[in-house]
Amino acid sequence: MNQLPFDPTDIGAVVDAMYAMISGPKGPRDWALQGEIFHPQARQMRTGLGEDGRPWIKIMAPDDYSADVAPFFEANDFYEVEIGRRVDEFGNMAQVWSAYEARSALGDAKPERRGINSIQLYREADGRWRIMSMIWDNERPGLALPSFG
C-alpha cells in the first residue's frame, strides 16, 4: 500500500477521509484520493424528492461523481461534517450510517442541510477497507434525522 494520509485498514479512518476529501474552501479537490477511498467499481447515489413529491435517484461511478460535483466545489466553499455514526461489521463487509451537516463555512450557526450517508465497505485481501456504495438523502419536512445517541 502506498503511504496514505489515512489508515485504510480502519473503517472510521476511511469514512473520515471521504469527508475530508469533499470538504474545504472553494477550489479543486484531490480526486486521486477518491481512488484510494472508493473501490473502482463503487457507486455513489444521490436521492431526493422532485417538486412533484416523487422520489428520484442519480447513480454515479466515482468518475461520474467527481465530474458532477467538481464545478460546484470550484465555485463554492463546502464542508460536510459528520455529526453521528453507527458501524456494523460482519466478516469482510461493513455498513456505516453516517449523519452529516453541510455548511458553506465551518462557523455557520445553522447548516444548509442535514442528512444521512449509508456507506457500504468491503475489506480487501490486504486488509484495507474501500467504499463500495454510498447512498444519501437529506432531511426535509416529514423526514428528520434519527438519534445516534
Side-chain angles (χ1 to χ4, degrees), residues 133-146:
S133 65
M134 189 167 119
I135 187 169
W136 64 93
D137 204 346
N138 294 322
E139 273 188 321
R140 56 183 166 268
L143 182 63
L145 291 183

Side-chain angles (χ1 to χ4, degrees), residues 12-35:
V14 173
V15 172
D16 291 345
M18 180 276 299
Y19 279 111
M21 180 192 73
I22 63 170
S23 295
K26 66 181 173 184
R29 299 301 193 255
D30 183 358
W31 295 116
L33 194 55
Q34 181 186 37

